[in-house]
Amino acid sequence: MAGNWKMYKTPRETAAFFDSFNHLAENITNCDIVIFPPAISLTTAVAVTHATHIQIGGQNLYPGKDGAFTGETSGEMFRSAGATWVLVGHSERRHVVAHETDAEVLKKTQAALTYGLTPIVCMGEKQEEHKNGKADEVLIKQFAGGVAGLTEEQFSQIVLAYEPVWAIGTGLVATPEIAENAHKLIRAEAEKRFGQEAAQAVRILYGGSVKPDNVEGLMHESDLDGVLVGGASLDPDSFIKIVMAA
Ligand code: PEP
């Protein structure tokens, strides 16, 4: 159960969130709970959650250890700051802020694993692709150009997320049926490339306008292993209701 805070919450606001959320989450141990704060608030998040089972991740990384890359943060830097997860290939990075390609998504996924971070690799179709019945084609292409380039060992260490772009931040959540079909397709691609065991084992999250009142229907689907939540993860009371659906 993952919360992507995007470009929200200063260090002070981050501390205030966990002041409340840590207590709400203290008895929930049957799932991973991961929060992805903005980089500037990451060390605060790590510090205030160190005595809990809540895990912290970066929202993006630059492949490579260090170097002359102004404004970027490496996997090693995230790891040494206490992060254990990282988002890779979020649609806002693919389509809005950085025009990331599938090849870059693969490189970042490999870099995450090199530095001991668990990547959540996101994929999903845009609105016009959804309307034109091209969702499957897009997912197959993103899988083939991205995570299909991993070794079997690397693939066993990642988490995938189906995030239809038309559902992100729009309030237009995918129906459980749409999500389940996409997850089945991604699992089938995983099976073709990595075999049945690996495909069954990989966790696939759904993301896109998940809220406390729609999460249960989604979580009932057999191929849906968790959710990646943006807006509704910013408020402790709302996010804990979502986490409880696990
Ligand atoms: C996201 O940022 O990955 C996301 C799913 O956002 P939201 O829940 O706000 O649609």
Side-chain angles (χ1 to χ4, degrees):
M1 308 305 271
N4 171 21
W5 284 357
K6 313 190 189 208
M7 202 171 74
Y8 293 101
K9 291 202 192 290
T10 61
R12 189 187 294 255
E13 290 164 343
T14 296
F17 174 93
F18 286 110
D19 208 29
S20 154
F21 189 73
N22 286 353
H23 299 295
L24 297 172
E26 76 193 342
N27 294 322
I28 304 177
T29 51
N30 66 328
C31 62
D32 284 318
I33 304 173
V34 193
I35 295 281
F36 297 86
I40 194 77
S41 300
L42 190 133
T43 50
T44 301
V46 168
V48 298
T49 56
H50 83 277
T52 76
H53 55 280
I54 298 162
Q55 301 162 71
I56 303 299
Q59 294 179 9
N60 171 49
L61 80 166
Y62 194 83
K65 184 169 176 286
D66 48 26
F69 304 109
T70 302
E72 297 292 343
T73 308
S74 72
E76 184 180 79
M77 289 167 177
F78 277 121
R79 192 75 180 91
S80 68
T84 46
W85 294 70
V86 68
L87 293 178
V88 176
H90 191 279
S91 66
E92 285 153 17
R93 297 204 57 83
R94 287 180 188 261
H95 305 303
V96 184
V97 292
H99 305 288
E100 281 178 11
T101 63
D102 293 334
E104 285 165 333
V105 168
L106 172 60
K107 258 186 156 177
K108 289 182 177 206
T109 306
Q110 290 164 327
L113 294 170
T114 299
Y115 294 108
L117 299 166
T118 302
I120 298 182
V121 185
C122 307
M123 58 187 75
E125 79 284 1
K126 294 195 255 185
Q127 184 164 38
E128 64 272 22
E129 294 162 338
H130 175 63
K131 270 198 195 144
N132 298 334
K134 296 245 181 328
D136 291 6
E137 202 179 299
V138 171
L139 291 174
I140 290 169
K141 185 178 157 292
Q142 289 179 344
F143 191 95
V147 295
L150 298 174
T151 64
E152 284 173 28
E153 165 72 14
Q154 288 170 329
F155 187 75
S156 71
Q157 296 168 54
I158 71 167
V159 172
L160 296 169
Y162 169 56
E163 292 220 306
V165 182
W166 49 269
I168 297 181
T170 59
L172 296 172
V173 64
T175 62
E177 192 188 358
I178 291 176
E180 174 68 4
N181 287 340
H183 286 223
K184 271 197 166 35
L185 178 103
I186 294 168
R187 225 179 269 289
E189 290 308 295
E191 183 168 341
K192 279 187 225 158
R193 169 66 184 88
F194 298 104
Q196 195 183 20
E197 206 176 308
Q200 285 309 314
V202 70
R203 287 181 285 177
I204 309 179
L205 313 184
Y206 166 78
S209 295
V210 175
K211 308 283 179 225
D213 62 1
N214 61 30
V215 65
E216 282 194 16
L218 289 160
M219 288 299 296
H220 273 123
E221 296 297 337
S222 59
D223 280 290
L224 205 145
D225 303 304
V227 287
L228 175 54
V229 185
S233 70
L234 292 168
D235 174 69
D237 294 326
S238 149
F239 191 52
I240 199 67
K241 284 184 191 143
I242 292 173
V243 170
M244 304 256 289

